[in-house]
């Protein structure tokens, strides 16, 4: 087990390095740079080019960058004029808050609903859940976030932009953050919850048809106990194995939700960095994204092993 | 066919028909700016006038009451009848200058949202279809080669697809798009986005094709074809790849909505089509102005159109797939 985790960690490190190297080179190859500005003396431009390593060839800059990463220096962002090392963790934490909340919401809404609808193939409740979830499966995060922002802009029920209010009383920061979190987190969670519901419903109805469930029912075990204990346990496999992929989905979805709701996360930072040709920032953002991804896949594989020991082999 | 599936087919068919018949259905050109109609609301079609008399369908012109807030009011004193099948379009106002027919209102440049929606569907759908075709072709080639040849080539190709699949699709598309000049013409963006989407979509196709080809390769009919002297290429193209048809059909219907949404996302953040081109994405960009969005809800019509298409596809596919890729 330890060897397995170590091997996966080594693979994760490789993924992070590969992704950030790739994006550093891509960003350097793109036309334009971030230091040339109108009305700036050529001496000043040269000085800035040297500061951000743009005076070197791509290869030389790459080797130099690798060497400095080993010492914990990820370069400076020229858009924000700050070390990337300070900027990226701050934004990555914001994305993590958003994504983790959305994942928790989706899990605690989607899976129980899937259990209910999957264990009642007939009847109005199952049908109602199924129709609602097919609606939300068809609403990608860009649409949910726009619709939610529209509703909240009309009704003024909830804040729709940013992460904190400008004027917040001390001690109220947490409540304020939660209020700002509702719109982006639901926008991200709704389609995901619907997807979980569909998958769990499918797995649940298959589990309910298993011979051991029929046998348990024949022994007179109460229905609620069969559904929520026996059948639920064997039906968790498909959703759990999806969690690794879900991290990618969350990052993709979180990108557009961050842009729509002005949530200061990794996605909007990456967008600014790409548009502004901010080489070191692009590399660090991509690396942070790859890091999330690698952690997510590893955690989901470990969770799958816990739910279904056969899959751990 | 189940009722919900029929609804799905109808939604998709309606969108395709609407985009095909855009020149006939649209009362205006997609880039025509109507002066003084910035953010004008949808025109209401009336049948009864102020005095209670019945007429053929007519509209009242919008009168700008507040320039700053872009508030409009119906000018009840004027009755403008609609004309049918005139000047190449199904229905339009008889006085386009004073009272243009705005079925879904006007956007921030005073362009007719309904006409743009129809013309936008053409670009958005054509892009999605081209990208899907390219993704299916590339995916079949990669998956077919990997599954048929096996060994080191199989390992190498599958590692490569794994690598692309594990990355968040949106970030890959974003990074590839951002490498190229930010301002490009519509045809260039069209081809560029199609190739990017093909790169992102092909691995999903390749995985499935490989699995099918691998298992079909060892079936009796394949051995028989080989014994009759079929070359490797012929065996693969004529005998093995046709077995993937069902899978490819499902995959195509999953990827179309995903690509429609991807185009919208890229255009929304300013990395897609240029603003003057009418696509669902560039139209949504207008809705990114939140205060305007609250006052002018018709700016969300491309979002509703996208929802209708994705829902239609999901209803058609309902029992076959879970829609995993439609939100990726």
């Amino acid at each position: 087990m330890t060897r397995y985790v170590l091997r996966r960690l080594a693979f994760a490190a490789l993924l992070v390095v590969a992704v950030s190297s790739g994006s550093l080179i891509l960003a350097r190859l793109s036309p334009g740079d971030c230091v040339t500005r109108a009305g700036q003396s050529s001496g000043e431009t040269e000085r800035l080019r040297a500061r951000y390593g743009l005076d070197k060839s791509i290869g030389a800059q790459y080797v130099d960058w690798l060497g400095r990463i080993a010492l914990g220096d990820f370069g400076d962002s020229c858009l924000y004029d700050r070390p990337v090392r300070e900027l990226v963790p701050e934004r990555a934490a914001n994305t993590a808050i958003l994504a983790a909340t959305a994942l928790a919401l989706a899990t605690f809404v989607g899976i129980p609903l899937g259990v209910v609808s999957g264990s009642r193939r007939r009847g109005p409740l199952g049908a109602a859940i199924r129709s609602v979830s097919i609606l939300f499966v068809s609403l990608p995060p860009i649409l949910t976030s726009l619709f939610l922002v529209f509703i909240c802009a009309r009704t003024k029920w909830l804040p729709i932009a940013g992460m904190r209010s400008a004027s917040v009383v001390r001690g109220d920061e947490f409540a304020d953050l939660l209020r700002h979190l509702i719109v982006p987190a639901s926008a991200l969670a709704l389609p995901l919850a619907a997807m979980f519901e569909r998958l769990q419903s499918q797995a649940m109805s298959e589990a309910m048809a298993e011979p051991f469930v029929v046998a348990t029912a024949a022994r007179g075990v109460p229905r609620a106990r069969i559904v929520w204990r026996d059948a639920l346990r064997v039906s968790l496999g498909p959703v759990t194995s999806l969690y690794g992929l879900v991290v990618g989905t969350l990052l993709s979805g979180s990108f557009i939700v961050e842009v729509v709701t002005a949530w200061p996360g990794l996605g909007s930072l990456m967008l600014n960095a790409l548009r502004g040709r901010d080489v070191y920032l692009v590399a660090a953002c991509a690396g942070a994204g790859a890091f999330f991804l690698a952690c997510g896949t590893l955690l989901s594989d470990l969770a799958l092993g816990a739910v279904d020991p056969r899959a751990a082999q | 066919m189940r009722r919900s599936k029929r609804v799905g087919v109808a939604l998709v068919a309606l969108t395709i028909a609407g985009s095909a018949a855009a020149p006939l259905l649209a009362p205006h050109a997609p880039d025509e700016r109507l002066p003084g109609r910035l953010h004008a609301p949808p025109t209401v079609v009336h049948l009864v006038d102020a005095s209670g008399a019945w007429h053929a369908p007519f509209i009242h012109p919008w009168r700008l009451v507040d320039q700053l807030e872009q508030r409009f009011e119906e000018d009840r004193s004027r009755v403008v009848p609609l004309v049918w099948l005139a000047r190449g379009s199904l229905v339009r106002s008889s006085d386009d200058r004073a009272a243009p027919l705005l079925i879904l209102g006007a956007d921030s440049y005073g362009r007719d949202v309904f006409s743009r929606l129809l013309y936008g569907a053409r670009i958005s759908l054509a892009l999605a279809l081209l990208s899907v075709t390219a993704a299916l072709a590339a995916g079949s080639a990669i998956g077919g080669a990997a599954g048929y040849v096996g060994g080191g080539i199989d390992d190498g190709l599958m590692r490569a697809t794994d690598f692309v699949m594990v990355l968040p699709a949106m970030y890959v598309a974003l990074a590839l798009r951002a490498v190229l000049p930010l301002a490009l013409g519509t045809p260039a963006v069209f081809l560029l986005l199609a190739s990017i989407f093909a790169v992102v979509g092909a691995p999903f196709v390749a995985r499935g094709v490989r699995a099918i080809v691998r298992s079909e390769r060892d079936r009796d009919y394949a051995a028989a074809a080989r014994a009759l002297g079929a070359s490797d290429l012929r065996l693969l193209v004529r005998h093995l790849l046709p077995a993937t048809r069902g899978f490819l059909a499902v995959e195509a219907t999953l990827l179309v909505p995903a690509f429609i949404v991807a185009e919208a996302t890229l255009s929304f953040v300013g990395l897609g089509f240029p603003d003057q081109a009418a696509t669902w994405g560039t139209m949504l960009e207008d809705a990114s102005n939140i205060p305007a969005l609250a006052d002018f809800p018709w700016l969300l019509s491309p979002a509703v159109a996208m929802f209708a298409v994705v829902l239609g596809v999901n209803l058609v596919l309902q029992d076959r797939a879970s829609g995993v890729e439609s939100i990726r």
Side-chain angles (χ1 to χ4, degrees):
Chain A
M1 194 64 194
T2 326
R3 262 192 64 190
Y4 170 74
V5 173
L6 281 178
R7 211 180 61 216
R8 291 293 304 264
L9 283 178
F11 175 74
L14 205 68
L15 182 77
V16 172
V17 173
V19 166
S20 47
S21 304
S23 27
L24 180 90
I25 291 163
L26 275 182
R28 238 335 265 279
L29 284 174
S30 34
D33 62 40
C34 79
V35 296
T36 317
R37 290 183 194 105
Q40 180 177 267
S41 75
S42 63
E44 176 68 4
T45 308
E46 278 315 304
R47 199 185 63 73
L48 285 170
R49 284 177 66 83
R51 177 170 171 208
Y52 298 113
L54 300 176
D55 53 343
K56 301 192 196 83
S57 71
I58 297 185
Q61 183 180 18
Y62 178 60
V63 172
D64 184 48
W65 177 74
L66 276 183
R68 280 194 293 150
I69 280 191
L71 303 173
D73 175 10
F74 290 80
D76 289 346
S77 153
C78 66
L79 280 181
Y80 296 85
D81 200 19
R82 282 174 65 188
V84 165
R85 217 181 94 173
E86 291 171 13
L87 194 58
V88 170
E90 192 179 299
R91 297 295 202 100
N94 294 346
T95 292
I97 294 176
L98 176 59
T101 315
L103 186 61
L105 261 176
T107 305
F108 288 115
V109 172
I111 291 182
L113 287 180
V115 170
V116 171
S117 76
S119 60
R120 297 163 198 251
R121 296 303 295 179
R122 293 184 187 79
L125 186 60
I129 296 175
R130 267 196 298 281
S131 353
V132 171
S133 84
I134 196 113
L135 287 182
F136 279 106
V137 164
S138 313
L139 279 169
I142 183 174
L143 299 185
T144 48
S145 55
L146 279 171
F147 287 135
L148 285 179
V149 160
F150 169 69
I151 293 170
C152 293
R154 281 294 268 242
T155 57
K156 309 250 180 330
W157 283 337
L158 289 165
I160 45 174
M163 212 177 149
R164 292 186 177 82
S165 309
S167 57
V168 59
V169 190
R170 275 202 56 199
D172 268 0
E173 285 100 348
F174 186 66
D176 184 54
L177 178 68
L178 279 186
R179 278 170 52 80
H180 281 83
L181 193 55
I182 296 175
V183 168
S186 339
L188 195 51
L190 283 173
L192 202 60
M195 193 178 90
F196 283 168
E197 191 279 331
R198 296 282 68 225
L199 271 176
Q200 182 60 36
S201 174
Q202 183 78 33
M204 194 69 193
S205 66
E206 276 161 23
M208 290 300 280
E210 293 261 355
F212 86 90
V213 172
V214 180
T216 318
R219 284 210 316 274
V221 176
R223 189 186 145 80
R225 201 173 146 119
I226 297 176
V227 170
W228 293 99
R229 198 192 62 176
D230 305 325
L232 175 63
R233 218 189 135 119
V234 292
S235 67
L236 277 176
V239 172
T240 319
S241 65
L242 197 77
Y243 265 66
L245 271 181
V246 158
V247 183
T249 312
L250 273 174
L251 282 175
S252 286
S254 147
F255 160 73
I256 190 66
V257 170
E258 283 169 18
V259 174
V260 173
T261 64
W263 185 264
L266 200 58
S268 39
L269 187 69
M270 173 90 166
L271 178 66
N272 288 340
L274 277 170
R275 298 187 57 133
R277 310 304 195 201
D278 193 339
V279 189
Y280 294 129
L281 191 55
V282 169
C285 286
F291 174 75
F292 276 142
L293 210 64
C295 291
T297 359
L298 179 57
L299 283 180
S300 91
D301 285 353
L302 292 179
L304 188 62
V307 173
D308 185 356
R310 284 168 304 180
Q313 304 309 313
Chain B
M1 213 170 5
R2 283 168 56 177
R3 199 172 46 189
S4 59
K5 199 166 174 174
R6 251 181 274 161
V7 174
V9 172
L11 281 174
V12 175
L14 201 68
T15 319
I16 295 176
S19 68
L24 178 68
L25 296 175
H28 302 275
D31 49 359
E32 181 188 345
R33 297 179 179 193
L34 306 163
R37 291 290 182 281
L38 276 56
H39 284 141
T43 34
V44 188
V45 178
H46 300 267
L47 289 169
V48 185
D49 72 7
S51 58
W54 285 76
H55 290 266
F58 68 89
I59 56 176
H60 293 302
W62 286 116
R63 191 176 51 206
L64 191 59
V65 275
D66 189 329
Q67 176 89 47
L68 199 65
E69 286 185 22
Q70 295 180 322
R71 241 171 347 106
F72 291 82
E73 209 169 64
E74 265 186 331
D75 182 1
R76 300 245 169 196
S77 62
R78 279 201 58 197
V79 168
V80 180
L82 296 178
V83 286
W84 300 83
L85 293 172
R87 280 183 291 150
S89 67
L90 181 65
V91 59
R92 53 167 60 225
S93 159
S94 59
D95 185 356
D96 262 340
R97 187 180 292 266
L101 175 65
L102 299 166
I103 296 171
L104 289 172
D107 69 4
S108 59
Y109 291 97
R111 297 174 298 199
D112 176 22
V113 170
F114 180 68
S115 304
R116 283 176 76 72
L117 198 63
L118 293 176
Y119 279 100
R122 294 186 143 195
I123 299 190
S124 296
L125 294 183
L127 174 65
L129 289 180
L130 178 67
S131 317
V132 166
T133 315
L136 290 186
S140 305
I142 297 171
Y148 188 78
V149 180
I153 295 189
D154 184 24
D155 279 350
L157 286 175
M158 285 305 109
R159 285 278 154 73
T161 58
D162 272 347
F163 184 71
V164 178
M165 279 170 78
V166 79
L167 299 175
M170 208 54 241
Y171 276 66
V172 178
L174 203 65
L176 289 178
R177 170 61 187 94
V179 172
L180 290 139
L182 297 178
L184 285 172
T186 308
V189 173
F190 190 87
L191 291 178
L192 175 63
L193 291 188
S195 11
I196 292 176
F197 293 168
V199 169
V200 177
F204 293 92
V205 181
R207 299 282 302 203
V209 169
R210 170 190 173 268
I212 296 171
V213 167
R214 253 190 104 81
S215 69
E216 295 291 311
R217 190 180 59 170
D218 302 328
R219 301 272 289 269
D220 288 345
Y221 76 87
R226 202 176 290 124
L228 284 170
S231 67
D232 285 340
L233 190 65
R234 186 183 164 84
L235 184 64
L236 183 61
V237 174
R238 288 295 303 266
H239 297 284
L240 299 180
L241 284 181
T244 62
R245 250 181 314 197
F247 166 76
L248 290 184
V250 171
E251 199 65 14
T253 30
L254 281 174
L255 286 174
V256 166
F259 289 157
I260 292 178
V261 171
E263 183 274 322
T265 308
L266 284 177
S267 295
F268 186 85
V269 300
L271 286 172
F273 286 96
D275 181 58
Q276 67 272 17
T279 75
W280 288 354
T282 55
M283 292 179 72
L284 262 195
E285 202 189 346
D286 227 18
S288 65
N289 176 0
I290 304 297
L293 179 63
D295 289 338
F296 316 117
W298 50 91
L299 296 180
L300 279 176
S301 8
V304 176
M306 268 183 342
F307 170 57
V309 175
V310 182
L311 178 65
V313 171
N314 280 338
L315 285 175
V316 172
L317 278 179
Q318 215 173 86
D319 302 317
R320 295 233 231 165
S322 51
V324 174
E325 278 159 48
S326 69
I327 68 162
R328 271 179 74 82

